[in-house]
């Protein structure tokens, strides 16, 4: 369905940016709507009902949902503020170089995300069953897989000029510092993700909530200062890589605290 709509879009609206924007917004909504409709038609036992609502659970669910909402909003700001600052402080050409480089390396992060995203619910199930042996075994395996992805990123970095030229079918002068920092950002993101899924699945998100808010403020302030100083997107990537690096250390440490002492009352276990 997506492919048919994209072909229709390209053929009829390729010269209209507004129509293309509308289609990119409508296609995911339409696909999710149709999928949801058919899912509940064939799984009526899972269909939502007013009778299933428990007001006693509302306060707890609303609190957890609000925390995740703030975390997600902060992550959106973190990933969006770079283009805004780079465009206004440097110019559109620098935005293009940064954006192409980020999309190039993000391909591997998307593949990794597809691989580890089911872990969230699996970690939830295992944690509340006290199956810590399975959790540790899974984390260990994902760590090995992560190093394979990191090796791929290194190869992508070494051949970035050739591969990006092949991808966009156009010569472009890349900034080596931007390429290196972007690849580091993807590396630390990969090292972060499975630990964050564990923390989310186990509901231990207080540290993540605080860190994400502070990271957002830190990034906004220092990226503005450094972009102005370097007159380049590396001014945004330096603090971005820094917060991902610190996050990689924190989430790994928090995971070990929770696994070794799951009944602890410390802030690391909240």
């Amino acid at each position: 369905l997506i492919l048919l709509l994209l072909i229709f879009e390209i053929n009829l609206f390729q010269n209209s940016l507004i129509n293309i924007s509308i289609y990119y917004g409508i296609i995911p909504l339409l696909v999710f709507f149709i999928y949801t409709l058919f899912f509940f038609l064939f799984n009526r036992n899972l269909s939502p009902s007013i009778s299933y609502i428990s007001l006693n659970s509302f306060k707890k669910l609303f609190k957890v949902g609000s925390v995740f909402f703030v975390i997600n909003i902060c992550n959106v700001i973190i990933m969006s503020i770079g283009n805004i600052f780079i465009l206004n402080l440097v110019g559109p050409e620098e935005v293009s170089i940064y954006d192409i480089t980020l999309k190039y390396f993000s391909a591997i992060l998307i593949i990794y995300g597809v691989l580890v995203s089911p872990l969230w619910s699996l970690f939830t199930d295992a944690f509340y069953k006290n199956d810590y042996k399975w959790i540790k075994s899974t984390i260990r395996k994902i760590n090995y897989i992560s190093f394979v992805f990191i090796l791929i990123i290194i190869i992508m970095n070494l051949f970035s000029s050739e591969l990006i030229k092949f991808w966009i079918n156009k010569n472009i002068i890349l900034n080596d510092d931007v390429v290196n920092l972007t690849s580091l950002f993807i590396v630390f993101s990969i090292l972060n993700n499975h630990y964050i899924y564990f923390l989310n699945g186990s509901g231990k998100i207080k540290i993540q909530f605080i860190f994400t808010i502070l990271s957002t403020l830190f990034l906004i302030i220092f990226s503005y200062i450094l972009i102005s100083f370097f007159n380049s997107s590396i001014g945004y990537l330096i603090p971005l890589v820094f917060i991902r690096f610190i996050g990689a250390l924190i989430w790994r440490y928090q995971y070990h605290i929770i696994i070794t002492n799951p009944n602890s009352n410390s802030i690391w276990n909240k």
Side-chain angles (χ1 to χ4, degrees):
L1 178 60
I2 293 175
L3 289 174
L4 288 174
L5 288 172
L6 283 174
I7 291 169
F8 178 74
E9 165 201 324
I10 291 169
N11 288 334
L12 297 183
F13 299 105
Q14 59 182 347
N15 295 322
S16 173
L17 180 60
I18 294 176
N19 284 320
I20 290 175
S21 301
I22 291 172
Y23 266 79
Y24 272 110
I26 289 176
I27 288 172
L29 291 175
L30 184 60
V31 171
F32 281 123
F33 174 76
I34 295 173
Y35 173 80
T36 303
L37 185 65
F38 276 92
F39 177 82
F40 286 120
L41 281 175
F42 291 99
N43 299 274
R44 293 186 180 276
N45 60 313
L46 299 177
S47 299
S49 172
I50 295 177
S51 61
Y52 297 151
I53 297 176
S54 173
L55 295 177
N56 294 329
S57 304
F58 176 78
K59 183 177 180 181
K60 183 178 179 180
L61 290 174
F62 180 78
K63 182 179 179 181
V64 175
S66 299
V67 171
F68 276 118
F69 177 77
V70 172
I71 290 172
N72 286 328
I73 289 296
C74 287
N75 285 329
V76 169
I77 293 172
I78 286 172
M79 295 310 301
S80 304
I81 199 70
N83 281 331
I84 297 171
F85 282 171
I86 295 167
L87 177 63
N88 285 278
L89 297 175
V90 184
E93 184 176 345
E94 184 69 17
V95 173
S96 299
I97 295 172
Y98 159 74
D99 201 48
I100 289 171
T101 307
L102 181 62
K103 282 184 169 61
Y104 167 70
F105 283 106
S106 293
I108 197 70
L109 185 60
I110 292 170
I111 297 171
Y112 179 82
V114 171
L115 177 67
V116 301
S117 57
L119 291 176
W120 186 327
S121 56
L122 294 174
F123 280 142
T124 301
D125 183 64
F127 184 79
Y128 287 100
K129 288 181 178 178
N130 297 324
D131 191 357
Y132 303 122
K133 183 178 179 180
W134 180 88
I135 293 173
K136 288 189 283 187
S137 173
T138 302
I139 288 289
R140 192 180 304 112
K141 291 174 183 176
I142 296 297
N143 281 335
Y144 292 141
I145 294 172
S146 297
F147 286 114
V148 174
F149 277 86
I150 290 171
L151 180 61
I152 295 172
I153 293 169
I154 293 172
I155 295 171
M156 290 175 67
N157 187 315
L158 293 174
F159 298 97
S160 57
S161 297
E162 294 82 0
L163 292 173
I164 289 177
K165 180 182 177 181
F166 175 78
W167 169 40
I168 65 175
N169 196 26
K170 183 180 179 181
N171 285 321
I172 183 172
I173 300 175
L174 297 175
N175 185 320
D176 289 339
D177 292 330
V178 172
V179 170
N180 292 331
L181 287 168
T182 305
S183 60
L184 277 177
F185 163 69
I186 300 299
V187 166
F188 291 133
S189 295
I190 285 175
L191 294 176
N192 275 336
N193 281 2
H194 52 294
Y195 289 106
I196 290 177
Y197 283 141
F198 165 75
L199 297 173
N200 291 346
S202 61
K204 312 299 182 180
I205 55 176
K206 187 171 184 178
I207 293 290
Q208 187 183 165
F209 175 72
I210 297 170
F211 179 80
T212 306
I213 293 174
L214 293 177
S215 295
T216 305
L217 295 174
F218 173 86
L219 185 70
I220 291 172
I221 295 170
F222 281 93
S223 62
Y224 184 89
I225 294 171
L226 292 176
I227 291 172
S228 301
F229 177 77
F230 288 107
N231 196 38
S232 169
S233 55
I234 64 172
Y236 167 72
L237 288 166
I238 289 172
L240 182 65
V241 169
F242 176 77
I243 62 175
R244 281 292 188 269
F245 170 70
I246 297 298
L249 298 178
I250 292 175
W251 312 140
R252 186 181 180 90
Y253 176 76
Q254 187 177 7
Y255 157 77
H256 284 292
I257 291 292
I258 294 170
I259 286 297
T260 54
N261 191 6
N263 297 317
S264 171
N265 290 322
S266 71
I267 190 172
W268 297 101
N269 203 27
K270 295 181 180 179

